Amino acid sequence: MSPPVAPPGWSRWLVPPAALSVHLSIGQAYAWSVFKPPLESALGLSGTQSALPFQLAIVMLGLSAAFGGTLVERNGPRWAMTVALVCFSTGFLISALGAATEQYWLIVLGYGFVGGIGLGIGYISPVSTLIKWFPDRPGMATGIAIMGFGGGALIASPWSAQMLESFGADHSGIALAFLVHGISYAVFMTLGVLLVRVPRAAPAVADEASSGPSSVTGVQVSARSAVRTPQFWCLWVVLCMNVTAGIGILEKAAPMITDFFADTSTPVSVTAAAGFVALLSSANMAGRIGWSSTSDLIGRKNIYRLYLGVGALMYALIALIGDSSKPLFILCALVILSFYGGGFATIPAYLKDLFGTYQVGAIHGRLLTAWSTAGVLGPLIVNWIADRQEEAGKHGSDLYSLSLFIMIGLLAVGFVANELVRPVAARHHMPAPTKEAADVAARQQPESA
């Protein structure tokens, strides 16, 4: 499947909607917490066990992005989006079979392993293409697409809750909900597969609606060289710490807000908890476009200082006084999730600033192994500690206090790693291509899709 090249006159503003159709679909992963209580009740699972499909999905996201990043660069976004569509939808169908037969391992295999591969390939599928289409505003461009991943739960959370209410929260109702998800997302992701285009090799006109971006210039570092630099590993730590701190709460958002206010005069209902998940998704989504666009103005290092520093302050407020005020708890959680989403959307532009656009998709894929690590650490810390605290007879906000202070420490580690980021040493740069080589490459570029 050859990458479809944009014909003359193609507007680059058609590419973000193609990316959004994929990212809005795979962003369903952030609504997993809606399925946790029904699964625990229907299959007799603990909180740690019900988190396993989500954790494995995030692990596979990072691993498939790391190992598949070079293939995505080589085969183009349409190939990647097709692979993502097949794996993500198939994962839901396998999970539906697992729920129907009460075989939990099939849900772990389907949603976690197979669906996780779709998450990883789908997540990185448009990143390199968007950066090449929008070299003038890489933060905004990647923010638009990755905004969809953060906003997927805004659709999936109330939709899933409504299906569970209509179909029933037993194993057969869960199975039917998984089936509907798999079919619906396959149809929606097809739109992105059909619409996406890669830019032509020729330089673009300066006009906003021009057919493509300017040719690749500036510092360029290959993916193989990038992973040998301290800058890559500093950003790996930054992403891992920021994601661990956010994903632990996001994965357990619905049970957490219920527990925090269970002993108050205003307890949170199941429906309100699902609404809280959707609200967090909107903050996640808004942060991805808002903060990443802001990074184009104030710089990537400064924006990560905000994510990590102010994020730690928000966690401290929740840990110390969050259970005394529901509006304060919600506000702090919204800020944290906006930083969490912004961190994801800004990292491709940060990589482009340091390593250039040559293999930025492959470098981004390798960096997402930090997400795999965080996908295990975040939910494990929150769920394991909550389970142990419950066994010790504690309840309410006491189930999460220790977890929140651990998250503050992790954000502090990420803050230090961000301060250590410096420009990449010249020995890692690729030599600039000669004019003759550039002319040959331009002649070999196909004229149209």
Side-chain angles (χ1 to χ4, degrees), residues 320-413:
L320 297 174
I321 56 175
D323 60 346
S324 65
S325 170
K326 193 179 296 183
L328 177 65
F329 178 92
I330 294 173
L331 177 62
C332 290
L334 291 177
V335 173
I336 289 170
L337 264 295
S338 77
F339 290 160
Y340 169 82
F344 277 119
T346 310
I347 207 71
Y350 210 159
L351 292 172
K352 178 259 182 187
D353 293 347
L354 291 170
F355 303 111
T357 60
Y358 170 58
Q359 288 190 328
V360 68
I363 298 170
H364 185 222
R366 286 159 171 78
L367 191 77
L368 290 180
T369 54
W371 194 355
S372 295
T373 304
V376 173
L377 288 179
L380 181 62
I381 290 170
V382 175
N383 285 287
W384 187 84
I385 291 177
D387 288 345
R388 299 294 79 77
Q389 298 287 62
E390 187 173 11
E391 290 173 2
K394 296 186 179 180
H395 54 85
S397 61
D398 290 339
L399 297 175
Y400 305 100
S401 298
L402 179 58
S403 300
L404 295 173
F405 284 113
I406 290 174
M407 300 305 180
I408 294 171
L410 294 178
L411 289 173
V413 172

Side-chain angles (χ1 to χ4, degrees), residues 109-364:
L109 173 67
Y111 191 92
F113 185 81
V114 179
I117 294 173
L119 287 180
I121 300 300
Y123 189 85
I124 63 173
S125 61
V127 170
S128 177
T129 302
L130 283 165
I131 288 177
K132 291 170 183 174
W133 276 109
F134 293 86
D136 49 332
R137 284 179 282 180
M140 180 211 69
T142 55
I144 289 175
I146 295 176
M147 170 185 69
F149 192 88
L154 188 63
I155 299 170
S157 181
W159 184 37
S160 300
Q162 182 60 49
M163 277 195 286
L164 290 171
E165 183 178 338
S166 300
F167 302 151
D170 59 357
H171 68 93
S172 60
I174 296 170
L176 189 54
F178 283 156
L179 178 63
V180 173
H181 275 76
I183 296 172
S184 300
Y185 285 132
V187 173
F188 193 58
M189 292 171 75
T190 300
L191 299 176
V193 172
L194 297 176
L195 188 60
V196 72
R197 297 288 187 277
V198 296
R200 296 162 60 83
V205 181
D207 182 60
E208 282 288 309
S210 61
S211 62
S214 58
S215 57
V216 174
T217 58
V219 171
Q220 302 297 328
V221 181
S222 68
R224 182 185 296 255
S225 296
V227 297
R228 299 172 181 171
T229 65
Q231 288 82 357
F232 176 89
W233 293 105
C234 282
L235 290 187
W236 192 97
V237 172
V238 167
L239 184 63
C240 185
M241 297 301 100
N242 193 53
V243 173
T244 300
I247 204 168
I249 285 185
L250 188 60
E251 184 272 338
K252 203 173 174 66
M256 181 179 288
I257 192 171
T258 302
D259 290 335
F260 249 79
F261 298 98
D263 298 329
T264 67
S265 58
T266 55
V268 178
S269 67
V270 174
T271 303
F276 176 64
V277 175
L279 194 60
L280 290 182
S281 178
S282 66
N284 189 351
M285 180 174 62
R288 291 174 186 240
I289 182 62
W291 294 123
S292 61
S293 297
T294 302
S295 77
D296 287 333
L297 303 175
I298 69 173
R300 319 303 172 196
K301 179 175 283 192
N302 286 333
I303 203 72
Y304 273 96
R305 286 168 174 155
L306 179 71
Y307 299 155
L308 300 162
V310 178
L313 176 61
M314 295 295 103
Y315 270 104
L317 288 174
I318 291 178
L320 297 174
I321 56 175
D323 60 346
S324 65
S325 170
K326 193 179 296 183
L328 177 65
F329 178 92
I330 294 173
L331 177 62
C332 290
L334 291 177
V335 173
I336 289 170
L337 264 295
S338 77
F339 290 160
Y340 169 82
F344 277 119
T346 310
I347 207 71
Y350 210 159
L351 292 172
K352 178 259 182 187
D353 293 347
L354 291 170
F355 303 111
T357 60
Y358 170 58
Q359 288 190 328
V360 68
I363 298 170
H364 185 222

Side-chain angles (χ1 to χ4, degrees), residues 417-432:
N418 183 54
E419 294 303 307
L420 295 176
V421 174
R422 299 289 185 273
V424 177
R427 67 179 180 275
H428 297 291
H429 298 179
M430 294 182 61

